[in-house]
Amino acid sequence: MAGTGTLRLDATTRGIPLVDGIVAAEIGTAGWSPSRGDLALPVLTLDETAFAANRDLFLRWCAGAGVRIAPHAKTPMSPELARSLREAGAWGATVANLQQAAVLLAHGEKRLLLANEIGGKQAGRRLGALLSAYPGVEFHAFADSPAAVATLAEAAGHSARAELSVLVEIGTGRGGARDGAAIDAIINAVANTEGVTFGGVATYEGAAATSDANETASAIARLMERTIDTFARVRAAAPGRPLIISAGGSAYFDVVTSALAPVAARDCNATVILRSGALFFADHGVYARAFAEIDRRGGLVIDGVRRSAVESFRPSLTLWAEVLSRPEPGLAICGFGMRDASFDQGLPVALRVWRDGVEQSELAAGLTVTRLNDQHAFIALPAGSSLAVGDVIAFGISHPCTCLDRWRVLFGLGADGTVTRALTTHFG
């Protein structure tokens, strides 16, 4: 597949200021800075230094904790970023559906977890056709019922593979087997179905979370007990196979690792694989709060040193927009909206303000995004604010997953505040 660098981007892409366009590979030489308004705002940027620091930090934590990471590609759907994580030491990548798998396979990924069920026979045939095109890929998929096992067997039969690895999914609140009888039914289906084999067990603890921290802790603890019990059942059914134990969104990776890593260590032929993806981007909302909870649970131990998650992970995504209107006292209308920013787990927060390329350090304090329309943000201002039409505001976002999927091009930003590259996203 052609690389991003051969793509020509023009004014039909948000952020590109040139009607006649520019080759993506040349964007890093243009010297564009969103704070100066060089880009066509609004635009979403990735702080390259912060992303790399988050990546290296978490990979060091994983190594010290005795686990591996297959970052969930659904967050950015950027093959370039998936590759950068793998090249830095990630085990592989995680996908949520066949479209995401097709994107990463087409861009050269060789090891995938499909962290979801995919449907019935037709979906199985589509997966089989996809795997036929990439015969050397290591591929593992979830199943939470005999019907899901049958779908994966259908895929194996249409892919000319000797066997397809199945992870028995244990769940609560979303997909996943709920009790021992359901787990035994899946294990029996795998053991007695041609074309599939045991790959291990998997779960997602984020679905157990509630608004109460103590209730959440108890629910996740129960889920971990069920996961460990299921692993013992799968191990009994597949005594000689290397197995995967997979869990871990970006909010509770410390909790699941403390429960599951000792199980894998005792087994000696199992690997814990986390699937965290959003933490590499961090944010100013839901994950900032999640990192504060990690600190409340004791923080991170990296290279023998205890560190604060809040202070260690750095938000890397910034949404840039101009002030369009000051229609009345105490109100500014800014040029972004629901089509540009996530809002499901908190509204964007104003971080910094520039006027004619010069930062106005006193203007950001007290700016509050109160609501969004499709293309407009309503900003409440403190009394006497001199915020003006044309001022450029940098916003932090909450929930990277539902912000990135609004953008088909993400712009890397260097330490000097200028654009380094264009990263295409592939959400379909």
Side-chain angles (χ1 to χ4, degrees):
M1 178 173 286
T4 300
T6 63
L7 181 67
R8 188 171 187 86
L9 302 173
D10 59 24
T12 63
T13 297
R14 279 178 293 176
I16 298 298
L18 305 176
V19 174
D20 56 347
I22 185 171
V23 176
E26 298 176 0
I27 281 177
T29 67
W32 291 337
S33 171
S35 66
R36 293 196 302 261
D38 296 336
L39 296 165
L41 305 182
V43 71
L44 185 69
T45 63
L46 174 74
D47 184 325
E48 301 266 21
T49 302
F51 181 83
N54 293 341
R55 176 197 67 205
D56 296 345
L57 174 84
F58 193 57
L59 287 170
R60 284 166 54 204
W61 182 86
C62 288
V67 300
R68 303 294 304 274
I69 174 73
H72 212 314
K74 72 177 175 62
T75 298
M77 279 309 296
S78 164
E80 291 90 343
L81 294 180
R83 183 175 63 251
S84 75
L85 291 166
R86 172 175 48 78
E87 290 175 347
W91 175 89
T94 297
V95 294
N97 57 38
L98 299 186
Q99 180 266 340
Q100 294 174 12
V103 168
L104 292 198
L105 292 175
H107 284 83
E109 293 304 311
K110 302 294 185 184
R111 184 185 270 167
L112 295 184
L113 289 182
L114 201 170
N116 203 357
E117 286 69 33
I118 60 171
K121 287 186 177 181
Q122 288 295 91
R125 291 166 187 160
R126 287 191 290 272
L127 174 57
L130 181 62
L131 294 177
S132 291
Y134 302 96
V137 167
E138 181 180 340
F139 195 89
H140 308 266
F142 285 16
D144 67 354
S145 68
V149 173
T151 292
L152 297 177
E154 190 78 19
H158 281 76
S159 68
R161 288 185 171 228
E163 56 188 21
L164 186 58
S165 171
V166 177
L167 303 184
V168 178
E169 185 188 8
I170 307 94
T172 184
R174 199 171 71 180
R178 296 296 201 261
D179 54 37
I183 291 164
D184 286 341
I186 302 165
I187 292 173
N188 289 336
V190 174
N192 293 291
T193 301
E194 185 177 353
V196 295
T197 191
F198 291 103
V201 300
T203 193
Y204 174 55
E205 74 286 350
T210 71
S211 59
D212 183 278
N214 292 328
E215 288 181 5
T216 296
S218 296
I220 293 177
R222 291 191 297 272
L223 183 62
M224 292 301 100
E225 290 174 1
R226 292 171 53 213
T227 302
I228 293 167
D229 175 72
T230 302
F231 175 76
R233 298 185 194 205
V234 172
R235 172 53 76 205
R241 290 189 61 84
L243 296 177
I244 289 168
I245 310 174
S246 182
S250 295
Y252 303 100
F253 62 84
D254 57 324
V255 176
V256 300
T257 294
S258 65
L260 300 178
V263 176
R266 289 193 298 270
D267 182 83
C268 298
N269 197 19
T271 303
V272 174
I273 299 177
L274 304 180
R275 305 189 302 276
S276 311
L279 62 74
F280 294 103
F281 300 90
D283 69 8
H284 286 87
V286 61
Y287 286 107
R289 296 189 291 273
F291 295 149
E293 285 298 303
I294 290 172
D295 285 348
R296 188 180 64 82
R297 296 193 292 264
L300 306 174
V301 176
I302 301 175
D303 301 331
V305 177
R306 192 169 298 278
R307 300 177 57 167
S308 162
V310 168
E311 295 175 2
S312 297
F313 287 103
R314 296 164 50 191
S316 63
L317 296 175
T318 303
L319 181 68
W320 303 80
E322 274 185 302
V323 177
L324 304 182
S325 176
R326 284 290 315 268
E328 60 188 60
L331 175 66
I333 305 299
C334 210
F336 76 92
M338 292 185 289
R339 293 181 176 181
D340 309 297
S342 49
F343 54 89
D344 57 313
Q345 298 198 49
L347 293 172
V349 295
L351 304 175
R352 303 168 72 182
V353 178
W354 282 263
R355 179 174 295 161
D356 300 324
V358 178
E359 185 168 6
Q360 310 294 304
S361 57
E362 78 284 357
L363 285 186
L367 303 184
T368 304
V369 179
T370 60
R371 64 189 177 98
L372 303 177
N373 288 162
D374 287 354
Q375 312 279 178
H376 298 90
F378 294 73
I379 315 294
L381 311 178
S385 174
S386 61
L387 190 74
V389 171
D391 287 349
V392 174
I393 305 179
F395 294 89
I397 61 94
S398 178
H399 199 188
C401 301
T402 54
C403 187
L404 284 159
D405 68 2
R406 288 164 163 76
W407 295 85
R408 65 183 180 96
V409 176
L410 171 70
F411 294 92
L413 213 60
D416 63 354
T418 61
V419 172
T420 58
R421 57 176 170 164
L423 294 160
T424 55
T425 64
H426 298 258
F427 289 99

